[in-house]
Amino acid sequence: MEIIKKLISEALIARKSAYTPYSKFKVGAALLTSTEKIYSGFNIECAAYSMCNCAERTAIFRAVFDNHRKFTHIAIVGGPENQENLTDFCPPCGACRQVLREFCDPKELKIILAKNTEEYKIFTLDELLLFSFGPQYL
Ligand code: THU
Protein backbone atom coordinates (compact mmCIF):
# COMPACT_ATOMS: atom_id res chain seq x y z
CA MET A 1 0.00 0.00 0.00
CA GLU A 2 2.80 2.41 0.91
CA ILE A 3 4.46 1.87 -2.46
CA ILE A 4 1.19 2.70 -4.23
CA LYS A 5 0.97 6.05 -2.44
CA LYS A 6 4.64 6.74 -3.08
CA LEU A 7 4.21 6.11 -6.81
CA ILE A 8 1.15 8.35 -6.95
CA SER A 9 3.05 11.12 -5.14
CA GLU A 10 5.95 10.84 -7.57
CA ALA A 11 3.57 10.93 -10.54
CA LEU A 12 1.89 14.06 -9.13
CA ILE A 13 5.28 15.75 -8.67
CA ALA A 14 6.34 14.84 -12.24
CA ARG A 15 3.05 16.14 -13.64
CA LYS A 16 3.85 19.65 -12.43
CA SER A 17 6.77 19.90 -14.87
CA ALA A 18 4.96 18.55 -17.94
CA TYR A 19 5.73 20.46 -21.14
CA THR A 20 2.27 20.99 -22.59
CA PRO A 21 1.98 24.38 -24.35
CA TYR A 22 -0.50 22.98 -26.92
CA SER A 23 -2.98 20.71 -25.14
CA LYS A 24 -2.48 22.25 -21.67
CA PHE A 25 -3.28 18.73 -20.42
CA LYS A 26 -0.62 17.62 -17.95
CA VAL A 27 0.12 13.97 -17.23
CA GLY A 28 2.58 12.43 -14.77
CA ALA A 29 3.64 8.81 -14.43
CA ALA A 30 5.81 6.87 -11.99
CA LEU A 31 7.10 3.42 -12.78
CA LEU A 32 8.45 0.81 -10.36
CA THR A 33 11.15 -1.54 -11.69
CA SER A 34 11.50 -5.15 -10.57
CA THR A 35 14.58 -3.95 -8.65
CA GLU A 36 12.37 -1.42 -6.81
CA LYS A 37 13.66 1.73 -8.41
CA ILE A 38 11.22 4.49 -9.30
CA TYR A 39 11.31 6.35 -12.62
CA SER A 40 8.92 9.20 -13.25
CA GLY A 41 7.97 10.97 -16.45
CA PHE A 42 5.71 13.65 -17.88
CA ASN A 43 4.27 14.37 -21.30
CA ILE A 44 6.38 16.40 -23.69
CA GLU A 45 4.65 18.13 -26.58
CA CYS A 46 5.98 19.49 -29.82
CA ALA A 47 4.81 22.14 -32.31
CA ALA A 48 4.67 19.29 -34.82
CA TYR A 49 1.83 17.73 -32.81
CA SER A 50 2.32 14.09 -33.79
CA MET A 51 5.72 14.09 -32.09
CA CYS A 52 4.18 14.46 -28.62
CA ASN A 53 5.44 11.92 -26.09
CA CYS A 54 3.19 10.64 -23.32
CA ALA A 55 4.20 10.69 -19.65
CA GLU A 56 4.20 6.90 -19.46
CA ARG A 57 6.63 6.49 -22.33
CA THR A 58 8.91 9.19 -20.95
CA ALA A 59 9.13 7.19 -17.70
CA ILE A 60 9.58 3.87 -19.51
CA PHE A 61 12.31 5.14 -21.83
CA ARG A 62 14.20 6.76 -18.96
CA ALA A 63 14.19 3.44 -17.10
CA VAL A 64 15.10 1.36 -20.15
CA PHE A 65 17.99 3.73 -20.89
CA ASP A 66 19.28 2.87 -17.39
CA ASN A 67 19.10 -0.83 -18.28
CA HIS A 68 15.87 -1.72 -16.48
CA ARG A 69 13.80 -4.21 -18.48
CA LYS A 70 11.03 -5.33 -16.12
CA PHE A 71 8.38 -3.22 -14.41
CA THR A 72 5.82 -4.19 -11.80
CA HIS A 73 3.74 -1.02 -11.22
CA ILE A 74 2.98 2.29 -12.90
CA ALA A 75 0.96 5.15 -11.46
CA ILE A 76 -0.63 7.65 -13.82
CA VAL A 77 -2.25 11.02 -13.06
CA GLY A 78 -3.52 13.58 -15.53
CA GLY A 79 -5.82 16.49 -16.16
CA PRO A 80 -6.07 20.06 -17.45
CA GLU A 81 -3.18 22.26 -16.31
CA ASN A 82 -5.43 24.53 -14.25
CA GLN A 83 -6.52 21.53 -12.13
CA GLU A 84 -4.35 20.94 -9.12
CA ASN A 85 -6.92 18.61 -7.56
CA LEU A 86 -7.67 16.12 -10.28
CA THR A 87 -11.32 15.30 -10.92
CA ASP A 88 -10.86 12.37 -13.32
CA PHE A 89 -8.71 9.30 -13.79
CA CYS A 90 -6.41 9.39 -16.82
CA PRO A 91 -6.19 6.02 -18.58
CA PRO A 92 -3.05 5.25 -20.63
CA CYS A 93 -3.33 5.56 -24.41
CA GLY A 94 -3.13 2.48 -26.62
CA ALA A 95 0.46 3.16 -27.67
CA CYS A 96 1.64 3.33 -24.06
CA ARG A 97 -0.24 0.13 -23.18
CA GLN A 98 1.64 -1.65 -25.97
CA VAL A 99 5.05 -0.26 -24.91
CA LEU A 100 4.35 -1.31 -21.30
CA ARG A 101 3.57 -4.79 -22.67
CA GLU A 102 7.17 -5.11 -23.81
CA PHE A 103 8.58 -4.82 -20.31
CA CYS A 104 6.27 -6.73 -17.97
CA ASP A 105 4.16 -9.77 -17.33
CA PRO A 106 0.72 -8.44 -18.39
CA LYS A 107 -1.03 -10.45 -15.67
CA GLU A 108 1.24 -8.93 -13.02
CA LEU A 109 1.82 -5.30 -14.04
CA LYS A 110 -0.38 -3.07 -11.90
CA ILE A 111 -1.60 0.13 -13.52
CA ILE A 112 -2.66 2.61 -10.86
CA LEU A 113 -4.93 5.39 -12.12
CA ALA A 114 -5.15 8.09 -9.49
CA LYS A 115 -6.69 11.45 -8.68
CA ASN A 116 -4.64 11.72 -5.47
CA THR A 117 -3.05 9.39 -2.93
CA GLU A 118 -6.47 8.42 -1.53
CA GLU A 119 -8.52 8.02 -4.70
CA TYR A 120 -7.21 5.46 -7.15
CA LYS A 121 -8.13 2.34 -9.14
CA ILE A 122 -5.82 -0.53 -9.97
CA PHE A 123 -5.95 -2.62 -13.16
CA THR A 124 -3.56 -5.21 -14.52
CA LEU A 125 -2.18 -4.58 -18.01
CA ASP A 126 -3.98 -7.73 -19.11
CA GLU A 127 -7.30 -6.09 -18.20
CA LEU A 128 -6.49 -2.97 -20.23
CA LEU A 129 -4.81 -4.71 -23.18
CA LEU A 130 -6.49 -8.06 -23.66
CA PHE A 131 -4.96 -10.79 -25.88
CA SER A 132 -1.92 -8.63 -26.55
CA PHE A 133 0.90 -9.13 -29.01
CA GLY A 134 4.23 -9.50 -27.23
CA PRO A 135 7.82 -10.70 -27.57
CA GLN A 136 6.84 -14.39 -27.34
CA TYR A 137 5.29 -14.25 -30.84
CA LEU A 138 8.59 -13.45 -32.54
N1 THU B 1 -1.13 11.90 -22.71
C1 THU B 1 -0.25 11.23 -21.89
O1 THU B 1 0.79 11.78 -21.50
N2 THU B 1 -0.57 9.96 -21.53
C2 THU B 1 -1.69 9.29 -21.93
O2 THU B 1 -1.79 8.09 -21.73
C3 THU B 1 -2.77 10.04 -22.58
C4 THU B 1 -2.36 11.32 -23.22
C5 THU B 1 -0.77 13.26 -23.13
C6 THU B 1 -0.40 13.38 -24.58
C7 THU B 1 -0.67 14.84 -24.84
O3 THU B 1 0.48 15.57 -24.47
C8 THU B 1 -1.80 15.17 -23.88
O4 THU B 1 -1.85 14.13 -22.93
C9 THU B 1 -3.16 15.30 -24.54
O5 THU B 1 -3.44 14.20 -25.31
Side-chain angles (χ1 to χ4, degrees), residues 38-108:
I38 295 176
Y39 282 83
S40 59
F42 51 66
N43 50 334
I44 301 169
E45 299 186 343
C46 184
Y49 294 162
S50 60
M51 304 302 148
C52 291
N53 199 59
C54 292
E56 299 88 324
R57 274 175 289 152
T58 303
I60 296 165
F61 296 151
R62 287 182 75 200
V64 172
F65 183 83
D66 279 353
N67 280 312
H68 297 286
R69 300 285 187 270
K70 191 109 197 242
F71 310 130
T72 59
H73 297 69
I74 185 168
I76 305 166
V77 296
E81 70 176 7
N82 61 3
Q83 248 184 43
E84 204 175 319
N85 297 314
L86 298 171
T87 55
D88 286 309
F89 297 110
C90 177
C93 78
C96 289
R97 293 177 200 206
Q98 188 65 44
V99 176
L100 281 166
R101 170 69 185 82
E102 188 69 22
F103 300 107
C104 73
D105 173 344
K107 292 199 188 308
E108 294 299 327

Side-chain angles (χ1 to χ4, degrees), residues 12-58:
L12 287 166
I13 290 168
R15 176 178 178 263
K16 289 186 205 235
S17 306
Y19 178 73
T20 55
Y22 308 106
S23 74
K24 301 189 189 313
F25 188 89
K26 291 187 182 291
V27 184
L31 195 60
L32 187 71
T33 69
S34 57
T35 52
E36 299 193 349
K37 281 194 158 39
I38 295 176
Y39 282 83
S40 59
F42 51 66
N43 50 334
I44 301 169
E45 299 186 343
C46 184
Y49 294 162
S50 60
M51 304 302 148
C52 291
N53 199 59
C54 292
E56 299 88 324
R57 274 175 289 152
T58 303

